[in-house]
Amino acid sequence: MTPVLSGGEIILWEFLGTAVLLLFGVGVVANVILPRSNQDGDTAPWVLIVIGWGVGVFAGASIADPSGGHINPAVTLGLAIAGKTPWANVPFYLIGQFLGAFVGAGLAWLLYKLQFDHNREHNTETVGIFATNPPIKKPVWNLVSETVATFVLLLFLLTAPYDSPANYAAVTALVVGIGAALGGPTGYAINPARDLGPRAAYAVLPIPGKGTADWGYSWVPIVGPFLGAALAGLVALVLPTYS
């Protein structure tokens, strides 16, 4: 059971956990995409990316376990709708998550600064290291992809045990599976903070030769995950419970 925490404590734990998630996530994509890194190409890039994000989920959620290990505004919304998180605490979760995502992405840039500097002639498309950037940009269909993928994640969380770090391993496996099976169309944000925080970081970081943050697309990985989470929360309310 999640202990009763103050708003400040929720912000702290969610900030730390989400920052670690994004450090892993942005870091693994940078490792795959940027030249002069130690990713030697022997591992299929997408496999490496989904594993890196999955391990980031495990590490981040385990760190944020005192606050329930949400590290994702969509998770917080789904749990609130299903009656598993007090609505009064939702703003504190979201503050910690969005701030943590911004800082975690900045830390990943710091680790790969030399690679970004070396890549200055080709940094125009590097927003995809930080935020989702679908290969076929059709907002309505991209929204469907994000909604379905997040619905799967939240339905699992709302119907399976999820109250200790031991269970985060199962969530990690699910996130890897979502990335491998459902992530191709959009890059699978399934987490509004995971996209908005790093996208904002990309917009302000001094990356030489960078392109735009593509704010015109940014609503999709926010609305889609929230919509999928809301649907899963509503479904969870009507599902039968078994003792």
Side-chain angles (χ1 to χ4, degrees):
M1 178 180 296
T2 303
V4 177
L5 302 179
S6 68
E9 289 172 320
I10 293 172
I11 291 172
L12 173 63
W13 289 114
E14 291 293 316
F15 171 87
L16 292 173
T18 311
V20 168
L21 166 64
L22 269 297
L23 176 60
F24 272 75
V26 174
V28 71
V29 181
N31 193 28
V32 167
I33 291 178
L34 293 174
R36 302 291 290 273
S37 74
N38 282 327
Q39 206 300 93
D40 59 14
D42 292 339
T43 303
W46 191 249
V47 173
L48 192 64
I49 287 171
V50 298
I51 291 174
W53 275 106
V55 174
V57 168
F58 181 82
S62 297
I63 289 169
D65 184 61
S67 59
H70 295 193
I71 63 171
N72 180 344
V75 171
T76 301
L77 176 64
L79 290 172
I81 289 175
K84 298 178 182 293
T85 292
W87 282 103
N89 289 342
V90 169
F92 302 117
Y93 278 97
L94 269 57
I95 290 170
Q97 291 156 359
F98 281 110
L99 289 178
F102 180 89
V103 171
L107 289 174
W109 164 78
L110 190 64
L111 291 178
Y112 283 91
K113 182 182 184 304
L114 293 180
Q115 283 72 29
F116 277 108
D117 291 347
H118 175 77
N119 197 51
R120 66 179 61 243
E121 301 298 327
H122 307 283
N123 276 337
T124 55
E125 301 297 326
T126 49
V127 65
I129 293 175
F130 291 78
T132 55
N133 186 30
I136 302 176
K137 194 167 292 183
K138 298 289 185 180
V140 172
W141 288 108
N142 301 148
L143 184 70
V144 169
S145 177
E146 290 290 346
T147 300
V148 170
T150 310
F151 176 84
V152 172
L153 173 64
L154 265 295
L155 190 63
F156 174 84
L157 296 181
L158 293 170
T159 58
Y162 186 64
D163 57 4
S164 73
N167 293 319
Y168 298 149
V171 181
T172 295
L174 178 64
V175 170
V176 170
I178 289 173
L182 308 177
T186 62
Y188 75 116
I190 60 174
N191 180 339
R194 168 263 178 275
D195 193 275
L196 181 59
R199 196 180 295 272
Y202 182 79
V204 301
L205 287 171
I207 299 172
K210 69 179 180 182
T212 71
D214 194 12
W215 289 109
Y217 177 76
S218 64
W219 67 273
V220 173
I222 297 173
V223 174
F226 275 139
L227 181 58
L231 291 173
L234 292 173
V235 169
L237 286 175
V238 300
L239 287 176
T241 57
Y242 302 97
S243 57

